[in-house]
Amino acid sequence: MKKRNVYLDNSATTQVRKEVLEEMLPYFTEIYGNASSVHTFGQEAKAALIKARETFAKLINADSPEEIIFTSCGTEADNIAIAGSLIANKGKHVITSRIEHHAILFTCQNLEKHGYRADYISTDKIGRINIEELKNKITDDTVIISIMHANNEIGVIEPVEEVSKILKEINKTRKNKILLHTDAVQTAGKLKLDVQKLGVDLLSVSGHKFYGPKGIGTLYIRKGTNIEPLFHGGHHEFGMKPGTENVAGIVGMTKALELANSEMEEESKKIFYLRNKLAKGIVEKIPEVVINTDLNNSVAGILSVSFNYIEGETLLLMLDMAGIAASAGSACATGSAEPSHVLSAIGANPLAAQGTLRFSFGRYNTEEDIDYVLEVLPNLVERARKMSPVWNSK
Ligand SMILES: *Cc1c(COP(=O)(O)O)cnc(C)c1O
């Protein structure tokens, strides 16, 4: 089979759509004014900013545009949500899950060094959080609960709505209401985000995961939420995120979400089909594999597979030479034998976890891409296993 380039790392980042780039271009050149300036140059940029904020608010069903804070990325939105609400409120306690993105986990761990307390909820074997455990961890000084909407390594969708319903009941009897945050970076553009239906107070999004530009994100903050900024220096973004606005990025991310929402149904049907075809093909053609993604409770675009007895990194490099881009599902810090925190949380066998890859699909993938992967992957796995001492001694 002829070598082809196949990009299956869409959960790491995506390419900017042509329509998005076109929408952005004028804001680098003609409409370059500072949105805070009073002259016409500035006011044109400001008009674009206002329009984008209104559009974005509608896209996630926020009550008002003032609830939309444009940030520099998803990581920044997560940091403001967690640290900003802990600083602003009396309590010292945050509850999150064991399978969050590092933008949440490391933020919580850092806060623990500064006198705050964090609890990390365990999950079942498909990665869904243990709701009973979460309820039991709530204390008088719990300020915020942060549960991701879908996981970036295995794709599992978390019961955020259920958590919000439970919290609503609990909050009825509390003076200091517990806030609910969700990191929706892996679902924006893939599932319809509705902050009312989800019942969240805070929600994070990142532009580059749904064919928008890098370096731009959004934090939704429900009106009335007690939260403080982490940065200081201006009135921008209602004081929550000071600094001259990235108007091109904001316009681009908003356009990208608009497009994604309007094409969601057909796109996700296609992506589900491609993902499930690859999963089925891998199980049929390759012995000793474990599909870590629950195909019935996950976002369409993610497939995590463990290839027993090999190193994920080895396979990743072999795939790269064949033109296929995927990512290691296990901790890819070189030399680290630790399996990823997500695979540990779902109770994956640590040895198997080392041979884990994440294939993540997007709108530009085709059936030919999947056929090509299914053609080359079995041989590569066999070759990698021949080099593996554990495979040879079994
Ligand atoms: C990519 C990602 C982030 C970080 O977003 P950036 O914009 O790259 O900082 C946060 N959370 C999840 C779940 C992600 O997949």
Side-chain angles (χ1 to χ4, degrees), residues 11-12 72-76 78 101 103 148 150-152 183 185-186 206-209 215-216:
S11 285
S72 296
C73 59
T75 302
E76 191 180 89
D78 283 346
H101 190 271
M148 69 199 317
N151 180 266
N152 47 296
D183 174 336
V185 172
Q186 287 295 339
S206 170
H208 72 98
K209 302 283 174 82
I216 189 75

Side-chain angles (χ1 to χ4, degrees), residues 226-245:
N226 193 17
I227 185 164
E228 277 188 29
L230 301 186
F231 310 110
H232 305 275
H235 57 274
H236 316 83
E237 301 300 309
F238 316 105
M240 279 309 298
K241 155 66 190 163
T244 303
E245 299 88 347

Side-chain angles (χ1 to χ4, degrees), residues 290-317:
V290 180
I291 303 289
N292 299 306
T293 299
D294 185 296
L295 301 182
N296 298 315
N297 185 54
S298 49
V299 282
I302 295 180
L303 180 66
S304 168
V305 188
S306 297
F307 300 89
N308 295 347
Y309 305 106
I310 51 181
E311 288 286 337
E313 290 286 291
T314 308
L315 191 54
L316 202 59
L317 294 173

Side-chain angles (χ1 to χ4, degrees), residues 33-299:
N34 185 321
S36 299
S37 302
V38 293
H39 47 62
T40 307
F41 291 87
Q43 291 310 299
E44 279 175 358
K46 188 176 177 185
L49 186 61
I50 289 172
K51 186 165 160 258
R53 201 185 305 282
E54 282 170 3
T55 306
F56 204 100
K58 284 203 188 100
L59 287 170
I60 64 167
N61 199 22
D63 284 327
S64 96
E66 282 88 63
E67 297 176 318
I68 304 300
I69 305 300
F70 293 120
T71 65
S72 296
C73 59
T75 302
E76 191 180 89
D78 283 346
N79 272 264
I80 299 173
I82 306 288
S85 57
L86 279 169
I87 292 168
N89 290 278
K90 263 222 189 78
K92 293 271 182 195
H93 185 222
V94 49
I95 302 175
T96 186
S97 82
R98 282 182 63 193
I99 67 163
E100 298 295 312
H101 190 271
H102 286 147
I104 297 289
L105 287 181
F106 290 175
T107 301
C108 291
Q109 286 166 15
N110 185 58
L111 285 160
E112 284 185 278
K113 288 190 214 150
H114 295 278
Y116 294 91
R117 289 184 302 110
D119 273 304
Y120 305 89
I121 302 304
S122 65
T123 72
D124 61 15
K125 62 184 193 314
I126 71 160
R128 264 180 320 205
I129 56 153
N130 183 330
I131 301 232
E132 281 310 306
E133 187 182 329
L134 184 145
K135 283 200 255 180
N136 291 333
K137 291 291 182 193
I138 292 175
T139 62
D140 280 346
D141 76 339
T142 304
V143 170
I144 182 167
I145 295 176
S146 180
I147 301 294
M148 69 199 317
H149 198 197
N151 180 266
N152 47 296
E153 278 187 40
I154 55 175
V156 60
I157 298 171
E158 296 296 338
V160 175
E161 256 182 84
E162 200 180 328
V163 173
S164 95
K165 283 189 185 125
I166 291 166
L167 265 189
K168 250 185 208 118
E169 283 308 306
I170 292 173
N171 277 339
K172 276 183 192 163
T173 61
R174 285 173 67 104
K175 215 167 57 225
N176 40 348
K177 308 241 173 299
I178 300 170
L179 301 172
L180 179 60
H181 168 255
T182 192
D183 174 336
V185 172
Q186 287 295 339
T187 50
K190 301 182 183 112
L191 301 177
K192 276 254 159 66
L193 292 182
D194 182 331
V195 293
Q196 313 306 343
K197 203 157 158 264
L198 283 169
V200 292
D201 303 293
L202 300 142
L203 174 142
S204 311
V205 160
S206 170
H208 72 98
K209 302 283 174 82
F210 52 90
Y211 315 100
K214 294 170 182 62
I216 189 75
T218 301
L219 178 63
Y220 159 78
I221 305 179
R222 187 178 292 277
K223 203 173 163 198
T225 300
N226 193 17
I227 185 164
E228 277 188 29
L230 301 186
F231 310 110
H232 305 275
H235 57 274
H236 316 83
E237 301 300 309
F238 316 105
M240 279 309 298
K241 155 66 190 163
T244 303
E245 299 88 347
N246 174 2
V247 178
I250 290 165
V251 165
M253 172 176 61
T254 304
K255 178 74 179 177
L257 190 59
E258 222 174 351
L259 289 167
N261 271 10
S262 69
E263 297 164 2
M264 195 167 277
E265 219 167 297
E266 44 186 311
E267 286 288 331
S268 85
K269 225 183 266 167
K270 182 187 109 177
I271 291 170
F272 262 120
Y273 171 76
L274 296 179
R275 196 254 326 242
N276 294 352
K277 175 170 174 157
L278 183 62
K280 189 160 170 274
I282 286 174
V283 170
E284 279 170 8
K285 293 186 163 200
I286 306 175
E288 301 262 17
V289 295
V290 180
I291 303 289
N292 299 306
T293 299
D294 185 296
L295 301 182
N296 298 315
N297 185 54
S298 49
V299 282

Side-chain angles (χ1 to χ4, degrees), residues 342-374:
V342 177
L343 295 170
S344 300
I346 63 172
N349 172 337
L351 260 178
Q354 283 191 28
T356 302
L357 293 189
R358 177 188 69 184
F359 301 98
S360 50
F361 305 75
R363 67 188 310 271
Y364 298 107
N365 290 125
T366 61
E367 186 139 25
E368 288 74 39
D369 286 349
I370 306 308
D371 292 338
Y372 176 68
V373 175
L374 285 172

